[in-house]
Amino acid sequence: MLLISIFLATLFLAYSNGANDNFQGVATLFGSRTSSYQTAILWATFTTFAGAITGIFLAGALIKNFSGKGLLPDAIANSPEFHLAVAIATGLTVIIASLMGFPISTTHSLTGALVGAGLVAIGLQVNFAALGTSFILPLLLSPIMAIPLSAGIYSLSGYINSKWHLPVNQKIIDACHFFSAGIVSFARGFNDTPKIVSLLLIIEYFSIQGGAILIAIAMALGGLLNSQKVAITMSEKITSMNHTQGLSANIVTGVLVIAATRFGLPVSTTYVSVSSIFGVGLINKKSKYNTRVFYQILLSWILTLPTAAIISAITYRLLQG
């Protein structure tokens, strides 16, 4: 029963992840009115699925990190109760945020859930040094890097255009924008799938490949059925944007997330994407960026880790009986 529960809870987590995260890669397409909502979410679903399948071959370091090994003793990290508590806590945290329209980090939620169950299991013997260097530091640095980088790329494009008066071909810009959105969605599937798959590997019937395919399908369904509220927040409430701003934000998000995933660094696609969108809005005086919404999102990010940790700790204690 525990193994079946882990399977179902992990699929629920993947569904929640899709609901909260799938639209983030294409938010600039819809926000700049380069495409309709339906076209954007279908493109996100296809490219996220492709990234998820690719992730099973190239992101082995993330699978290891999010199994809990290194953070906790193997005896705890390999226990079914631990995996079940983490999956339930992360899934609930992410789906609640999705229903409220807040784009939060599944990575951050997973980290909080690992710590919450770990504290109940072994108290302060949790490896906090590993937590800081392998989890918290990359999560904090990624949005700090994304804001100035996206602002810089957008400013650079404006400078080049004003200096050389290059002809603007809107069809080429839109094609590049679509491609960049696909890259971001691909990067998100590439980055998030290995983290979720790690929870399934305790079930000996699942290979990494089989688990990843199931996770990818659940993520796709979550995005198709439950991403509307997060889509509105990402596309319209953070800042108004034009085609060039959207393209600039996507380039930064795609490059940062793919590079981090390749080196096993658990950055949050959400943090990078939101910060990149805010960055291009901040630099353009014509844009109407909403600092109030950005601070609300920032507060939801701060609450993510303790919320997941508390739910995970309570769930793990209940499972222990």
Side-chain angles (χ1 to χ4, degrees), residues 105-160:
S105 167
T106 301
T107 305
H108 210 169
S109 302
L110 267 171
T111 303
L114 287 168
V115 172
L119 287 173
V120 172
I122 58 172
L124 296 179
Q125 296 178 51
V126 172
N127 189 343
F128 288 102
L131 177 67
T133 56
S134 298
F135 294 85
I136 302 299
L137 192 59
L139 285 170
L140 291 177
L141 287 179
S142 53
I144 293 173
M145 292 173 63
I147 291 176
L149 280 174
S150 61
I153 287 181
Y154 178 63
S155 298
L156 179 62
S157 67
Y159 172 78
I160 292 172

Coordinates of all heavy atoms in Angstrom, one line a residue, residues 105-160:
S105 N 8.0 27.8 -6.7 CA 9.0 26.9 -7.1 C 8.8 25.5 -6.6 O 8.7 25.3 -5.4 CB 10.4 27.4 -6.6 OG 11.4 26.4 -6.8
T106 N 8.6 24.5 -7.5 CA 8.5 23.2 -7.1 C 9.9 22.7 -6.5 O 9.9 21.9 -5.5 CB 8.2 22.3 -8.3 OG1 7.0 22.7 -8.9 CG2 8.1 20.8 -7.9
T107 N 11.0 23.2 -7.0 CA 12.3 22.9 -6.4 C 12.3 23.4 -4.9 O 12.8 22.6 -4.1 CB 13.4 23.7 -7.2 OG1 13.3 23.3 -8.5 CG2 14.8 23.3 -6.6
H108 N 11.9 24.6 -4.7 CA 11.9 25.1 -3.3 C 10.9 24.3 -2.4 O 11.2 24.0 -1.2 CB 11.4 26.6 -3.3 CG 12.0 27.4 -2.3 ND1 11.9 28.8 -2.3 CD2 12.7 27.1 -1.1 CE1 12.5 29.3 -1.2 NE2 13.0 28.3 -0.5
S109 N 9.8 23.9 -3.0 CA 8.8 23.1 -2.2 C 9.4 21.7 -1.9 O 9.3 21.2 -0.7 CB 7.5 22.9 -3.0 OG 7.0 24.1 -3.4
L110 N 10.1 21.1 -2.8 CA 10.7 19.8 -2.6 C 11.8 19.9 -1.5 O 11.9 19.1 -0.7 CB 11.4 19.3 -3.9 CG 10.5 18.4 -4.8 CD1 11.2 18.1 -6.1 CD2 10.3 17.0 -4.1
T111 N 12.6 21.0 -1.6 CA 13.6 21.2 -0.6 C 13.0 21.4 0.8 O 13.5 20.7 1.7 CB 14.4 22.5 -1.0 OG1 15.0 22.4 -2.3 CG2 15.6 22.7 0.0
G112 N 12.0 22.1 0.9 CA 11.3 22.3 2.2 C 10.8 21.0 2.7 O 10.9 20.7 3.9
A113 N 10.2 20.2 1.8 CA 9.6 18.9 2.2 C 10.7 17.9 2.7 O 10.5 17.2 3.6 CB 8.8 18.3 1.1
L114 N 11.8 17.9 2.0 CA 12.9 17.1 2.4 C 13.4 17.4 3.8 O 13.7 16.6 4.6 CB 14.1 17.2 1.4 CG 13.9 16.6 0.0 CD1 15.0 17.1 -0.9 CD2 13.9 15.1 0.1
V115 N 13.5 18.7 4.0 CA 14.0 19.2 5.3 C 13.0 18.9 6.4 O 13.3 18.5 7.5 CB 14.3 20.7 5.3 CG1 14.6 21.3 6.7 CG2 15.5 21.0 4.3
G116 N 11.7 19.2 6.1 CA 10.7 18.9 7.2 C 10.6 17.5 7.6 O 10.6 17.2 8.8
A117 N 10.6 16.6 6.7 CA 10.5 15.1 7.1 C 11.9 14.7 7.7 O 11.9 13.9 8.6 CB 10.3 14.3 5.8
G118 N 13.0 15.3 7.2 CA 14.3 15.0 7.7 C 14.4 15.4 9.2 O 15.0 14.7 10.0
L119 N 13.9 16.6 9.5 CA 14.0 17.1 10.9 C 13.2 16.2 11.9 O 13.6 15.9 13.0 CB 13.4 18.5 11.0 CG 14.4 19.6 10.4 CD1 13.6 21.0 10.4 CD2 15.7 19.7 11.2
V120 N 12.0 15.7 11.4 CA 11.3 14.7 12.2 C 12.0 13.4 12.4 O 12.1 12.8 13.5 CB 9.9 14.5 11.6 CG1 9.2 13.4 12.4 CG2 9.1 15.8 11.7
A121 N 12.7 13.0 11.3 CA 13.4 11.7 11.3 C 14.6 11.7 12.2 O 14.9 10.8 13.0 CB 13.7 11.3 9.9
I122 N 15.5 12.7 12.0 CA 16.8 12.7 12.7 C 17.1 14.0 13.4 O 18.3 14.2 13.8 CB 17.9 12.4 11.7 CG1 17.9 13.4 10.5 CG2 17.8 11.0 11.2 CD1 19.1 13.2 9.6
G123 N 16.2 14.9 13.5 CA 16.4 16.2 14.2 C 17.4 17.0 13.5 O 17.5 17.1 12.3
L124 N 18.3 17.6 14.3 CA 19.3 18.6 13.8 C 20.5 17.9 13.1 O 21.5 18.6 12.8 CB 19.8 19.5 14.9 CG 18.7 20.4 15.5 CD1 19.2 21.3 16.6 CD2 18.0 21.3 14.4
Q125 N 20.4 16.6 13.0 CA 21.5 15.9 12.3 C 21.4 16.0 10.7 O 22.3 15.5 10.0 CB 21.5 14.4 12.7 CG 21.8 14.1 14.1 CD 21.7 12.7 14.4 OE1 22.3 11.8 13.8 NE2 20.9 12.3 15.4
V126 N 20.4 16.7 10.3 CA 20.3 17.0 8.8 C 21.5 17.7 8.4 O 22.0 18.6 9.1 CB 19.0 17.9 8.5 CG1 19.0 18.3 7.1 CG2 17.7 17.1 8.8
N127 N 22.0 17.4 7.2 CA 23.3 18.0 6.7 C 23.0 19.4 6.2 O 22.7 19.6 5.0 CB 23.8 17.1 5.6 CG 25.2 17.6 5.2 OD1 25.6 18.7 5.5 ND2 25.9 16.7 4.5
F128 N 23.0 20.4 7.1 CA 22.7 21.8 6.7 C 23.7 22.4 5.8 O 23.4 23.3 5.0 CB 22.5 22.6 8.0 CG 21.2 22.3 8.7 CD1 21.2 21.5 9.9 CD2 20.0 22.8 8.3 CE1 20.1 21.3 10.6 CE2 18.8 22.5 8.9 CZ 18.8 21.7 10.1
A129 N 24.9 21.9 5.9 CA 26.0 22.4 5.0 C 25.6 22.1 3.5 O 25.7 22.9 2.6 CB 27.3 21.8 5.3
A130 N 25.2 20.8 3.3 CA 24.8 20.4 2.0 C 23.5 21.1 1.5 O 23.4 21.5 0.3 CB 24.5 18.9 1.9
L131 N 22.6 21.4 2.5 CA 21.4 22.1 2.2 C 21.7 23.5 1.6 O 21.2 23.9 0.7 CB 20.5 22.2 3.4 CG 19.2 23.0 3.3 CD1 18.3 22.3 2.4 CD2 18.6 23.2 4.7
G132 N 22.7 24.2 2.3 CA 23.1 25.5 1.9 C 23.7 25.6 0.5 O 23.4 26.4 -0.3
T133 N 24.7 24.7 0.3 CA 25.5 24.8 -0.9 C 24.9 24.2 -2.1 O 25.0 24.7 -3.2 CB 26.9 24.1 -0.7 OG1 26.7 22.8 -0.3 CG2 27.7 24.8 0.4
S134 N 24.1 23.1 -1.9 CA 23.5 22.4 -3.1 C 22.1 22.8 -3.4 O 21.6 22.6 -4.4 CB 23.6 20.9 -2.8 OG 24.9 20.4 -2.7
F135 N 21.4 23.4 -2.4 CA 20.0 23.8 -2.6 C 19.7 25.3 -2.5 O 19.3 25.9 -3.4 CB 19.2 23.0 -1.6 CG 19.2 21.5 -1.8 CD1 20.2 20.7 -1.2 CD2 18.2 20.9 -2.5 CE1 20.2 19.3 -1.4 CE2 18.2 19.5 -2.7 CZ 19.2 18.7 -2.1
I136 N 20.0 25.8 -1.3 CA 19.6 27.2 -1.0 C 20.3 28.2 -1.8 O 19.7 29.1 -2.4 CB 19.7 27.5 0.5 CG1 18.9 26.5 1.3 CG2 19.3 28.9 0.8 CD1 17.4 26.5 1.1
L137 N 21.7 28.1 -1.9 CA 22.5 29.1 -2.6 C 22.1 29.2 -4.1 O 21.9 30.3 -4.6 CB 24.0 28.7 -2.5 CG 24.9 29.8 -2.9 CD1 24.7 31.1 -2.1 CD2 26.4 29.3 -2.8
P138 N 22.0 28.1 -4.9 CA 21.5 28.2 -6.3 C 20.1 28.9 -6.4 O 19.9 29.6 -7.3 CB 21.5 26.8 -6.8 CG 22.5 26.1 -5.9 CD 22.3 26.7 -4.6
L139 N 19.2 28.5 -5.5 CA 17.9 29.1 -5.5 C 17.9 30.6 -5.3 O 17.1 31.4 -5.9 CB 17.0 28.4 -4.5 CG 16.5 27.0 -4.7 CD1 15.9 26.4 -3.5 CD2 15.6 27.0 -5.9
L140 N 18.8 31.1 -4.4 CA 18.8 32.5 -4.1 C 19.5 33.3 -5.2 O 19.2 34.4 -5.6 CB 19.5 32.8 -2.8 CG 18.8 32.3 -1.5 CD1 19.7 32.6 -0.3 CD2 17.5 33.1 -1.4
L141 N 20.6 32.7 -5.8 CA 21.4 33.4 -6.8 C 20.7 33.5 -8.1 O 20.9 34.5 -8.8 CB 22.7 32.7 -7.0 CG 23.7 32.8 -5.8 CD1 25.0 32.0 -6.1 CD2 24.1 34.3 -5.5
S142 N 19.9 32.5 -8.5 CA 19.3 32.5 -9.8 C 18.4 33.8 -10.1 O 18.6 34.4 -11.2 CB 18.5 31.2 -10.1 OG 17.6 31.0 -9.1
P143 N 17.5 34.2 -9.2 CA 16.7 35.4 -9.6 C 17.6 36.7 -9.5 O 17.3 37.6 -10.3 CB 15.6 35.4 -8.5 CG 16.1 34.6 -7.4 CD 17.0 33.6 -8.0
I144 N 18.6 36.7 -8.6 CA 19.5 37.9 -8.5 C 20.2 38.0 -9.8 O 20.5 39.2 -10.3 CB 20.4 37.7 -7.3 CG1 19.7 37.7 -6.0 CG2 21.5 38.8 -7.4 CD1 20.5 37.4 -4.8
M145 N 20.6 36.9 -10.5 CA 21.3 37.0 -11.8 C 20.3 37.3 -12.9 O 20.7 38.0 -13.8 CB 22.0 35.7 -12.0 CG 23.1 35.3 -11.1 SD 23.8 33.7 -11.4 CE 24.4 33.8 -13.1
A146 N 19.1 36.8 -12.8 CA 18.2 36.9 -13.9 C 17.7 38.4 -14.2 O 17.6 38.8 -15.3 CB 16.9 36.0 -13.7
I147 N 17.5 39.1 -13.1 CA 16.9 40.5 -13.3 C 17.9 41.4 -14.1 O 17.5 42.0 -15.1 CB 16.6 41.1 -11.9 CG1 15.4 40.4 -11.3 CG2 16.3 42.6 -12.1 CD1 15.0 40.9 -10.0
P148 N 19.2 41.5 -13.7 CA 20.1 42.4 -14.4 C 20.4 41.8 -15.8 O 20.6 42.6 -16.8 CB 21.3 42.5 -13.6 CG 21.3 41.3 -12.7 CD 19.8 41.0 -12.4
L149 N 20.5 40.5 -16.0 CA 20.8 39.9 -17.3 C 19.7 40.2 -18.3 O 20.0 40.6 -19.4 CB 21.0 38.4 -17.1 CG 22.4 37.9 -16.6 CD1 22.4 36.4 -16.4 CD2 23.5 38.3 -17.5
S150 N 18.5 40.0 -17.9 CA 17.4 40.3 -18.8 C 17.3 41.7 -19.2 O 17.1 42.1 -20.3 CB 16.0 39.8 -18.3 OG 15.7 40.4 -17.1
A151 N 17.5 42.6 -18.1 CA 17.5 44.0 -18.4 C 18.6 44.4 -19.3 O 18.4 45.2 -20.2 CB 17.6 44.8 -17.1
G152 N 19.8 43.8 -19.1 CA 20.9 44.1 -19.9 C 20.8 43.7 -21.4 O 21.1 44.4 -22.3
I153 N 20.2 42.5 -21.6 CA 20.0 42.0 -23.0 C 19.0 42.9 -23.7 O 19.2 43.2 -24.9 CB 19.6 40.5 -23.0 CG1 20.8 39.6 -22.6 CG2 19.0 40.1 -24.3 CD1 20.5 38.2 -22.6
Y154 N 17.9 43.3 -23.0 CA 16.9 44.1 -23.6 C 17.5 45.5 -24.0 O 17.3 46.0 -25.0 CB 15.7 44.3 -22.7 CG 14.6 45.2 -23.3 CD1 14.0 44.9 -24.5 CD2 14.3 46.4 -22.7 CE1 13.0 45.7 -25.0 CE2 13.3 47.2 -23.2 CZ 12.7 46.9 -24.4 OH 11.7 47.7 -24.9
S155 N 18.3 46.0 -23.0 CA 18.9 47.3 -23.3 C 19.9 47.2 -24.5 O 20.0 48.2 -25.3 CB 19.7 47.8 -22.0 OG 18.8 48.0 -21.0
L156 N 20.7 46.1 -24.5 CA 21.6 45.9 -25.6 C 20.9 45.9 -27.0 O 21.4 46.5 -27.9 CB 22.4 44.6 -25.4 CG 23.5 44.3 -26.4 CD1 24.6 45.4 -26.5 CD2 24.1 42.9 -26.1
S157 N 19.8 45.2 -27.0 CA 19.1 45.1 -28.3 C 18.6 46.5 -28.7 O 18.6 46.8 -29.9 CB 17.9 44.1 -28.2 OG 16.9 44.6 -27.3
G158 N 18.1 47.3 -27.7 CA 17.7 48.6 -28.0 C 18.8 49.5 -28.5 O 18.7 50.3 -29.4
Y159 N 20.0 49.4 -27.9 CA 21.2 50.2 -28.3 C 21.6 49.8 -29.7 O 21.9 50.7 -30.5 CB 22.3 49.9 -27.3 CG 23.6 50.5 -27.7 CD1 23.8 51.9 -27.5 CD2 24.6 49.8 -28.3 CE1 25.0 52.5 -27.9 CE2 25.8 50.3 -28.6 CZ 26.0 51.7 -28.4 OH 27.2 52.3 -28.8
I160 N 21.7 48.5 -30.0 CA 22.1 48.1 -31.3 C 21.1 48.6 -32.4 O 21.5 49.1 -33.4 CB 22.2 46.6 -31.4 CG1 23.3 46.1 -30.5 CG2 22.4 46.1 -32.8 CD1 23.4 44.6 -30.4

